[in-house]
Amino acid sequence: MQIQVNGESMEFGEGATISDLIQRMALEGKRLAVEVNEDIVPRSEHPSFSLSDGDRVEVVHAIGGG
Amino acid sequence: MSEQPERPLPEDKPLEIAGKVYNSRLLVGTGKYRDLSETGHAIETSGAEIVTFAVRRTNLGQNPDEPSLLDVVSPNSYTMLPNTAGCYTAKDAIRTCKLARELLDGHDLVKLEVLGEEKTLYPNMTETLVAAEALIKDGFQVMVYCSDDPLLAKRLEEMGCIAIMPLGAPIGSGLGIQNRYNIRLIVENARVPVLVDAGVGTASDATLAMELGCDGVLMNTAIAQAQDPIRMARAMRLAIESGRHAYLAGRMPKKLYASASSPLDGTFF
């Protein structure tokens, strides 16, 4: 299935979770926040939250800004 | 000559934001530094206790071992103030705040800024009011970047914003406090902290903001884009303290003509 991650298309197998996505992005253990289709998915739900075809995922972190 | 009646001195209240008391009245941003090491060093030197940052997408394929901002500016040492910089609509600002709250494990203090146009980065107050209302309803503690209109500032306070942060000049312009009268009026009317957010270019600008009675100043570019940011961070720390003391001390009245500082009694000529 196709998932839009930060505006780019990524291919995942059926049943992939947010934890799988974070692993694929090599961001495990990083402080980040995830939104699926404009709704926050709390960190505690990352291992159980299954993605669906066409989901739009945003993975964000803190950067310098004023 | 009749003496002017003495005005009561302003009360020396500590800066309290969201139930926490701060020693430093300087709040700093984390953008535009050469690297993260300079960011950390400058912020430490500034003595700031509240630090603002932006929320952005992680880059796909970035180096996973690269240090991140929060490694250098730790939420254990500073009060982190996520901002909604770059948002031009209430909707985007609300989304950003929700992501920030998740990022910081439920920490609900945010700096709301909804911009109106790229040229001046002037706040879009219509969208700001919409976003502030929604965020407050959702439990956020909102420090709000706003225009210098005293009535709008009061309205934001009455809605429940915990700090009012009018601009002194456009973001990143370094033009200094261009609106002393309006800032003064906002300070006079406010029951929550008023901080100048944006416009400071050098130390005397920060001092002036504090002399007007502001509770603090938030700045980024003035430190980050100085030729020596670490030294400017120190200058700003001192400038803020200096301006605060001058405000509390109650300055002498201005006079049109001279008034000799040395006594005339006992002259021998």
Side-chain angles (χ1 to χ4, degrees), chain A residues 30 35 43 58 61 65-66, chain B residues 30 57 64 83 95 102 105:
Chain A
K30 297 280 180 193
E35 195 186 54
R43 199 161 300 148
E58 296 291 341
H61 66 156
Chain B
T30 50
R57 284 171 165 171
N83 64 53
R95 266 179 86 188
E102 165 67 10
D105 305 313

Side-chain angles (χ1 to χ4, degrees), chain B residues 29-106:
Chain B
T30 50
K32 299 183 181 174
Y33 285 97
R34 268 186 283 269
D35 52 44
L36 281 176
S37 150
E38 188 181 73
T39 312
H41 195 177
I43 289 170
E44 200 184 336
T45 307
S46 75
E49 296 167 292
I50 303 176
V51 176
T52 185
F53 68 90
V55 177
R56 292 290 181 271
R57 284 171 165 171
T58 56
N59 298 322
L60 296 173
Q62 74 183 12
N63 177 2
D65 296 325
E66 217 170 276
S68 79
L69 177 70
L70 298 184
D71 295 331
V72 179
V73 185
S74 165
N76 299 326
S77 312
Y78 296 96
T79 294
M80 299 307 289
L81 179 64
N83 64 53
T84 63
C87 293
Y88 285 81
T89 62
K91 185 188 167 213
D92 288 347
I94 293 164
R95 266 179 86 188
T96 303
C97 288
K98 287 181 176 174
L99 281 163
R101 181 164 63 183
E102 165 67 10
L103 195 62
L104 296 177
D105 305 313

Side-chain angles (χ1 to χ4, degrees), chain B residues 187-204:
Chain B
V187 167
E188 209 171 284
N189 292 334
R191 292 204 185 83
V192 296
V194 175
L195 298 95
V196 162
D197 179 1
V200 166
T202 188
S204 52

Side-chain angles (χ1 to χ4, degrees), chain A residues 11-66:
Chain A
E11 180 69 33
F12 285 89
E14 289 301 318
T17 64
I18 290 179
S19 291
D20 296 332
L21 181 151
I22 289 171
Q23 192 175 17
R24 171 90 74 90
M25 294 171 82
L27 292 172
E28 300 133 295
K30 297 280 180 193
R31 190 185 273 271
L32 40 81
V34 177
E35 195 186 54
V36 176
N37 303 328
E38 301 192 10
D39 284 321
I40 301 286
V41 181
R43 199 161 300 148
S44 60
E45 294 174 22
H46 290 184
S48 58
F49 192 102
S50 297
L51 295 164
S52 307
D53 190 38
D55 276 350
R56 288 168 296 115
V57 181
E58 296 291 341
V59 183
V60 303
H61 66 156
I63 66 150

Side-chain angles (χ1 to χ4, degrees), chain B residues 135-201:
Chain B
L135 288 168
I136 291 163
K137 207 170 160 189
D138 195 8
F140 283 96
Q141 312 220 52
V142 178
M143 301 175 73
V144 60
Y145 168 66
C146 56
S147 64
D148 61 14
D149 181 325
L151 299 183
L152 282 176
K154 194 65 191 171
R155 176 139 170 232
L156 287 163
E157 176 186 331
E158 285 165 356
M159 285 170 70
C161 291
I162 63 156
I164 306 300
M165 305 202 291
L167 77 169
I171 294 171
S173 70
L175 288 171
I177 314 301
Q178 296 296 314
N179 47 2
R180 299 179 194 192
Y181 179 71
N182 289 40
I183 297 286
R184 185 67 215 277
L185 281 182
I186 291 171
V187 167
E188 209 171 284
N189 292 334
R191 292 204 185 83
V192 296
V194 175
L195 298 95
V196 162
D197 179 1
V200 166

